[in-house]
Amino acid sequence: MSKEELEKEEKGSKHKCKKYEEEIASLKEAIEKLEAESNMWKNKYYEAYADLDNTRKVLKKDHEDMIKYRAMGFIESILPTLDNFEMAFKVESDDPKIKNYQVGFKMILNQFITTLQNENVSIVEPKVGDDFDPNTMSAMSLVDGEEDNKISSVYLKGYILKDRLIRPALVVVTKKGLNSQTADENKENNKEEK
């Protein structure tokens, strides 16, 4: 082979090498793009899987809560009836016929309460002199008392289903020095009016 042929062949091989290098570079670039796209789809898959798993957990918890508290609406609807029964027993009568009816109604009320307790309903029955608990009680009004936040009277019992408050007990709460504060406020209002 002559020198010219060798130079020509060398030039051709350099040209082929450059062509192969360009082709390799474009293939590497294509591989990088495909890997990036593959990673993007993997991430989207994992996000969708996590979202689906979270949704499944939320639905499961909602379903469990629905089963756990299924009786809540029913219990709320019979509370006025229970309240009326209890208010009726506060009235005393000397008539023996009415007393017999009261005995029968008391038995019915006790059956209602037993049924509620079987459904894990607990009754919030604050007593006069107990501390006011804002988690289970609702203050209807304030009255003057020797101590703050003591129960002065109970209007209605409260009810809790498992760990959820159905209705707070309705109570009247004491506040120390309430009458003197009210008197001071009235004096101030009278001064302002003059």
Side-chain angles (χ1 to χ4, degrees):
M1 244 191 205
S2 73
K3 194 175 180 182
E4 287 176 13
E5 289 176 351
L6 282 173
E7 285 179 11
K8 203 176 194 183
E9 195 175 309
E10 194 178 308
K11 216 180 200 183
S13 15
K14 282 183 183 179
H15 181 64
K16 281 183 184 179
C17 277
K18 193 173 187 180
K19 185 177 176 185
Y20 289 137
E21 286 174 1
E22 288 173 2
E23 201 171 309
I24 289 172
S26 83
L27 289 173
K28 282 183 180 179
E29 190 178 310
I31 289 171
E32 287 174 6
K33 283 181 182 177
L34 290 172
E35 284 176 346
E37 189 176 331
S38 171
N39 287 335
M40 178 195 70
W41 286 112
K42 277 183 191 177
N43 288 338
K44 286 190 178 200
Y45 166 77
Y46 290 132
E47 286 175 13
Y49 184 81
D51 286 345
L52 179 64
D53 193 45
N54 289 338
T55 302
R56 188 178 299 126
K57 288 176 185 175
V58 167
L59 290 175
K60 182 179 179 186
K61 184 175 180 342
D62 288 348
H63 180 70
E64 289 169 354
D65 284 350
M66 185 181 70
I67 290 171
K68 186 176 180 180
Y69 302 111
R70 72 189 181 286
M72 194 161 184
F74 173 72
I75 293 167
E76 285 175 335
S77 67
I78 66 166
L79 289 183
T81 305
L82 292 175
D83 295 336
N84 290 335
F85 265 116
E86 290 182 359
M87 283 184 209
F89 293 124
K90 289 180 182 177
V91 176
E92 294 291 326
S93 175
D94 294 332
D95 188 352
K97 286 184 179 180
I98 292 176
K99 284 188 177 189
N100 285 338
Y101 280 117
Q102 282 183 326
V103 169
F105 288 138
K106 186 73 171 173
M107 290 170 53
I108 294 170
L109 177 63
N110 288 336
Q111 286 177 332
F112 268 127
I113 291 171
T114 301
T115 302
L116 290 174
Q117 289 170 340
N118 290 341
E119 286 293 320
N120 293 317
V121 174
S122 56
I123 301 172
V124 179
E125 293 184 82
K127 306 282 185 256
V128 173
D130 287 352
D131 288 333
F132 175 72
D133 178 8
N135 297 317
T136 59
M137 301 174 200
S138 179
M140 293 177 45
S141 64
L142 295 173
V143 295
D144 190 36
E146 294 177 16
E147 294 182 65
D148 281 342
N149 294 324
K150 295 290 183 182
I151 306 297
S152 170
S153 63
V154 179
Y155 182 68
L156 291 175
K157 294 177 182 178
Y159 295 88
I160 298 172
L161 174 61
K162 296 183 171 86
D163 58 352
R164 194 174 284 178
L165 185 66
I166 298 173
R167 181 183 76 192
L170 300 177
V171 297
V172 177
V173 180
T174 62
K175 180 155 176 74
K176 192 174 183 178
L178 183 67
N179 285 340
S180 62
Q181 286 178 356
T182 306
D184 291 343
E185 288 174 7
N186 287 339
K187 286 178 186 177
E188 286 180 28
N189 287 339
N190 288 337
K191 286 180 185 178
E192 289 175 6
E193 289 176 4
K194 290 180 183 180

